[in-house]
């Protein structure tokens, strides 16, 4: 495999330049106009059939070769974060308050580098769909592209995505079969009682006492209703109620965040929280209204596609640079929605460890994508595409 890595090393400078250009011009969710125009123009120049504006600012590039029936999807994300960059780099953000602090600039560059190589000298037989999505950071850009018909217009037999990971040695690939990243849901509970004088509580219905009881009761959902071997989080992150010590307020509001690594656990958390809030509120004579907002789904890597992705990693890098079954992560990722529709796998590429430049955590103002990964990441995509689209049906 050294020849493939050498070939992608040889063209890496161009794509490192592109990565730094994207880093210098970061754009927030659904505002990736410059970035997506850049991606689309490159793909077109290399002979891809390109669709722009899918899910807002998403781009799909399709390349069909031979008569093979297999269809592969590779996905990268393009959005930046609302963070003030503090790296001091020459190519640091030129937009105040916006920064590529999650390495999506690097993900885009790695997939473009692979796109270029595959167009020039890729040996494959079938359909390659390269998906550049907007708004991974909370905006659900993957879902928006799917609602716009992504997989109806570009059917895929399998789909893969890669995210960089600080703390993991540079260039190391880490895979995981099964649930790999958590779901994230949000709820706002509004309790409405009867306001009154603090000295005459019997003439009021106090939403603060009800809220306090609900906060404590919610602690029993994870400890009493969920299998101890399963991961679950229920956090009340905000309580808003009252203004003065002698006034019982009319209402109280709780903000809740909920995470799980299993679809059934996720459903049970929602059911138990809703039931508990309703029963508790009633017992205190106040009414409860719950605004439940589903966030990202549990990300589940399918067995067959993960096994295939592992084989490709081992072929490219050898056993000492591949983690075959990495631990799950409590963070969330909207590639989970694509994996609910199409089998596939999401893997990590080490951004650097220890005191190295790449070890700074994502979402930190000092973070930077490790450019040494452009060649390795793109070589991985090329090899995966060539292996997946090798045997025509
Ligand atoms: Zn992020
Ligand atoms: Zn990210």
């Amino acid at each position: 495999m050294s020849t493939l890595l050498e070939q992608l090393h040889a063209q890496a400078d161009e794509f490192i330049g592109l990565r730094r250009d994207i880093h210098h011009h970061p754009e927030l969710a659904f505002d990736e106009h410059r970035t997506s125009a850049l991606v689309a123009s490159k793909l077109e120049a290399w002979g891809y059939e390109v669709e722009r504006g899918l899910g807002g600012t998403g781009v799909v590039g399709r390349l069909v070769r031979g008569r093979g029936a297999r269809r592969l999807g590779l996905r990268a994300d393009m959005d930046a974060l609302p963070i003030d960059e503090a790296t001091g780099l020459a190519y640091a953000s030129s937009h105040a308050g916006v920064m590529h602090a999650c390495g999506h600039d690097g993900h885009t560059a790695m997939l473009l580098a692979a796109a270029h190589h595959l167009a020039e000298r890729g040996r494959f037989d079938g359909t390659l769909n390269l998906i550049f999505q907007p708004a991974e950071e909370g905006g659900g850009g993957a879902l928006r592209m799917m609602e716009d018909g992504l997989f109806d217009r570009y059917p895929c037999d399998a789909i893969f995505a890669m995210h960089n990971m600080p703390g993991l040695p540079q260039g190391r690939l880490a895979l995981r079969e099964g649930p790999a990243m958590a779901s994230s849901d949000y709820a706002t509970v509004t309790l409405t009682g009867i306001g009154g004088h603090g000295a005459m509580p019997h003439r009021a219905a106090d939403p603060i006492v009800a809220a306090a009881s609900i906060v404590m009761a919610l602690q029993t959902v994870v400890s009493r209703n969920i299998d101890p071997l399963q991961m679950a989080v229920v956090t009340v992150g905000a309580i808003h109620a009252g203004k003065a010590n002698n006034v019982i307020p009319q209402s109280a509001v709780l903000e809740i965040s909920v995470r799980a690594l299993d679809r059934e656990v996720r459903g049970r958390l929602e059911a138990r929280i809703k039931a508990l809030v309703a029963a508790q509120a009633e017992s205190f004579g106040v009414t409860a209204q719950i605004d439940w907002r589903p966030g990202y789904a549990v990300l589940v890597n399918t067995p067959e596609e993960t096994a295939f992705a592992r084989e490709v990693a081992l072929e490219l890098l050898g056993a000492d640079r591949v983690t075959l079954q990495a631990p799950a992560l409590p963070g969330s990722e909207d590639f989970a929605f694509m994996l609910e529709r199409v089998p596939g796998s999401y893997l990590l590429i080490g951004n650097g460890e220890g005191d190295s430049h790449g070890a700074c955590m994502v979402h930190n103002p000092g973070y930077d994508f490790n450019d040494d990964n452009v060649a390795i990441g793109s070589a991985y995509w090329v090899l995966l595409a060539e292996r997946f689209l090798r045997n025509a049906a």
Side-chain angles (χ1 to χ4, degrees):
M1 260 321 97
S2 58
T3 45
L4 177 62
L5 270 173
E6 281 162 17
Q7 287 168 4
L8 285 143
H9 267 297
Q11 65 155 32
D13 281 352
E14 178 188 347
F15 293 94
I16 290 170
L18 202 67
R19 199 287 287 184
R20 294 180 176 188
D21 177 71
I22 296 171
H23 189 92
H24 190 56
H25 300 96
E27 295 170 307
L28 293 174
F30 295 121
D31 197 31
E32 307 92 338
H33 298 288
R34 182 185 184 277
T35 310
S36 62
L38 183 73
V39 166
S41 69
K42 292 283 178 193
L43 293 173
E44 267 167 358
W46 301 329
Y48 285 77
E49 177 195 330
V50 173
E51 178 165 355
R52 301 157 193 252
L54 207 65
T57 39
V59 175
V60 180
R62 174 159 61 187
L63 195 60
V64 181
R65 195 158 283 178
R67 306 177 63 148
R70 298 248 277 176
R71 302 151 309 181
L72 172 68
L74 300 178
R75 171 277 208 176
D77 38 16
M78 301 186 291
D79 57 319
L81 284 157
I83 293 176
D84 268 315
E85 180 158 354
T87 60
L89 293 163
Y91 52 86
S93 171
S94 56
H95 301 166
V98 184
M99 173 190 179
H100 267 295
C102 205
H104 299 183
D105 49 347
H107 305 163
T108 298
M110 289 191 295
L111 191 54
L112 280 177
H116 177 253
H117 183 93
L118 284 162
E120 297 265 301
R121 50 214 294 192
R123 285 167 302 196
F124 65 92
D125 185 19
T127 300
L128 181 64
N129 295 309
L130 304 185
I131 301 162
F132 294 82
Q133 79 153 76
E136 191 288 318
E137 299 284 2
L143 210 50
R144 283 279 299 277
M145 287 188 85
M146 289 166 68
E147 285 163 2
D148 262 6
L150 174 65
F151 292 123
D152 305 315
R153 279 139 83 174
Y154 304 93
C156 295
D157 299 306
I159 185 155
F160 299 87
M162 180 167 14
H163 203 294
N164 76 94
M165 183 49 65
L168 205 62
Q170 183 266 318
R172 185 177 186 86
L173 295 175
L175 299 100
R176 178 179 171 83
E177 179 190 321
M181 295 190 76
S183 60
S184 56
D185 298 315
Y186 310 96
T188 302
V189 175
T190 305
L191 301 167
T192 306
I194 299 170
H197 198 294
M200 288 173 273
H202 59 296
R203 306 271 302 269
D206 191 343
I208 288 186
V209 173
S213 181
I214 287 170
V215 170
M216 294 315 292
L218 285 175
Q219 308 309 311
T220 67
V221 175
V222 172
S223 71
R224 303 293 89 178
N225 301 138
I226 302 298
D227 181 341
L229 297 180
Q230 296 276 11
M231 174 272 199
V233 180
V234 177
T235 291
V236 180
I239 302 183
H240 303 289
K243 286 199 171 74
N245 60 24
N246 62 347
V247 178
I248 293 171
Q250 192 81 12
S251 65
V253 175
L254 306 179
E255 298 289 353
I256 303 173
S257 140
V258 182
R259 286 174 186 264
L261 257 183
D262 175 274
R263 288 167 186 159
E264 273 180 37
V265 169
R266 184 189 189 197
R268 183 143 177 82
L269 287 170
E270 178 178 353
R272 284 302 301 147
I273 289 168
K274 285 180 172 173
L276 213 145
V277 166
Q280 288 267 320
E282 203 203 342
S283 76
F284 288 100
V286 305
T287 61
Q289 190 212 329
I290 301 190
D291 173 23
W292 190 274
R293 300 183 300 283
Y296 291 175
V298 181
L299 185 148
V300 183
N301 291 324
T302 52
E304 196 181 319
E305 288 68 27
T306 304
F308 165 74
R310 281 177 183 140
E311 279 170 32
V312 174
L314 291 170
E315 182 181 350
L316 184 72
L317 297 176
D320 56 348
R321 293 178 68 194
V322 177
T323 302
L324 296 176
Q325 183 70 353
L329 295 170
S332 301
E333 160 64 66
D334 79 344
F335 186 62
F337 294 122
M338 294 192 183
L339 288 176
E340 285 187 326
R341 177 86 181 266
V342 180
S345 204
Y346 177 81
L347 67 144
L348 303 174
I349 182 166
N351 204 56
E353 60 178 342
D355 298 331
S356 75
H357 174 64
C360 179
M361 200 54 193
V362 290
H363 293 210
N364 181 293
Y367 166 85
D368 190 34
F369 180 81
N370 194 327
D371 283 326
D372 291 339
N373 279 339
V374 169
I376 295 174
S378 57
Y380 180 76
W381 284 145
V382 168
L383 188 62
L384 185 137
E386 291 188 341
R387 292 290 175 265
F388 190 85
L389 299 174
R390 175 168 51 180
N391 299 313

